Amino acid sequence: MIPFVRLPVSVPVAGAPIIQPADMGQLVPLGPERDAIGHWELGGSDASLTDLLDGAVLTAHGTAPTFEDNCVVTAGGGQHGLDTPFNEALDQTMIIVAQRPPLASKQVVMGTLIGAPGESGSYWESANTLNQLTRGYTNTLFSAGLPAPGEWYFLAVSQSGTTRTVWMSGQDPVVTAGTPILSTRKLALGCSYFSSLYGASLKAATLIVYDKVLTVDDIPSRFSRCRQRSLARGITIGQ
């Protein structure tokens, strides 16, 4: 790879080759998000279930997942996922890089979704929408401009005692007011708690958890770094 510096301006040069984003890489690999409480770059083996910061471990809930080179694959069916060691809290943020499931799939992506009071979770609905449910808030629903099945996307959900922000690649961020009703369950990746109704298998490459709120001004820089890390691992996230 030939090193170069990307300037904040562009100068057209007739006949010069265009360098595609997929051909670019970091001279110095990006490290983990140091202000997070858990950061997992998943894939390869179960060693990736230990986070890059302080050794926090994702624990299999139900059937253990399998691994591809650059992602983890949860088992299909109900109550199969990966649990973090962190309880649901008033001030928290979850970020995931995941692959959209096949059309008409019902799939829990992350959170504590169980179908009872005191739940919060992101999920794909059979009507081909991406939904964020948090008890105490109105449901956020994305239905247009979504990634195609098999494409990768970035999703961040941040909440406080009064505000929730849902930020998805390719979508305008949605900020709503409310007061969450918390569960006592651990934050999870995949369908750890719900029945098989929303148990489509999940492919996930990155999971990051914060014990603080990230605003619409904070999240874009995390998105940019996630895109760079993912690209280095052969994963392209849409805009």
Side-chain angles (χ1 to χ4, degrees):
M1 182 177 67
I2 301 174
F4 69 96
V5 176
R6 184 168 58 183
L7 300 174
V9 296
S10 62
V11 179
V13 179
I18 297 175
I19 301 175
Q20 301 297 329
D23 296 325
M24 300 180 188
Q26 290 287 122
L27 288 177
V28 179
L30 284 173
E33 298 293 328
R34 294 294 176 185
D35 58 339
I37 56 174
H39 183 159
W40 294 268
E41 294 295 327
L42 300 162
S45 72
D46 59 4
S48 67
L49 301 183
T50 300
D51 95 308
L52 304 173
L53 296 166
D54 300 315
V57 176
L58 294 176
T59 303
H61 194 125
T63 301
T66 58
F67 299 89
E68 296 184 3
D69 288 344
N70 56 10
C71 67
V72 67
V73 185
T74 64
Q79 300 181 2
H80 302 306
L82 289 166
D83 297 349
T84 76
F86 309 121
N87 290 321
E88 191 173 19
L90 281 179
D91 291 351
Q92 68 179 33
T93 302
M94 294 187 75
I95 289 175
I96 193 171
V97 174
Q99 189 181 76
R100 182 176 174 178
L103 291 176
S105 293
K106 291 188 173 186
Q107 179 196 75
V108 175
V109 178
M110 62 181 180
T112 61
L113 204 62
I114 196 174
E119 64 180 356
S120 173
S122 311
Y123 63 99
W124 286 95
E125 185 55 87
S126 58
N128 299 315
T129 59
L130 191 283
N131 303 261
Q132 174 61 38
L133 173 66
T134 307
R135 294 293 174 126
Y137 292 89
T138 57
N139 188 22
T140 292
L141 181 150
F142 297 119
S143 59
L146 295 169
E151 291 184 346
W152 294 88
Y153 64 92
F154 169 100
L155 178 66
V157 180
S158 186
Q159 72 178 37
S160 69
T162 58
T163 305
R164 184 192 64 199
T165 299
V166 184
W167 204 107
M168 183 182 186
S169 50
Q171 304 289 324
D172 292 330
V174 178
V175 181
T176 53
T179 302
I181 302 170
L182 302 179
S183 74
T184 57
R185 294 182 291 279
K186 303 292 186 183
L187 298 175
L189 179 154
C191 193
S192 282
Y193 306 112
F194 212 100
S195 69
S196 59
L197 181 64
Y198 283 85
S201 176
L202 171 73
K203 285 189 176 185
T206 298
L207 179 67
I208 308 173
V209 180
Y210 299 82
D211 59 355
K212 65 178 183 178
V213 176
L214 296 182
T215 69
V216 291
D217 296 321
D218 298 325
I219 296 173
S221 61
R222 273 74 176 182
F223 172 51
S224 177
R225 291 193 292 272
C226 276
R227 287 188 75 186
Q228 292 177 61
R229 292 188 195 93
S230 297
L231 194 60
R233 303 176 65 206
I235 291 172
T236 300
I237 304 172
Q239 297 291 335

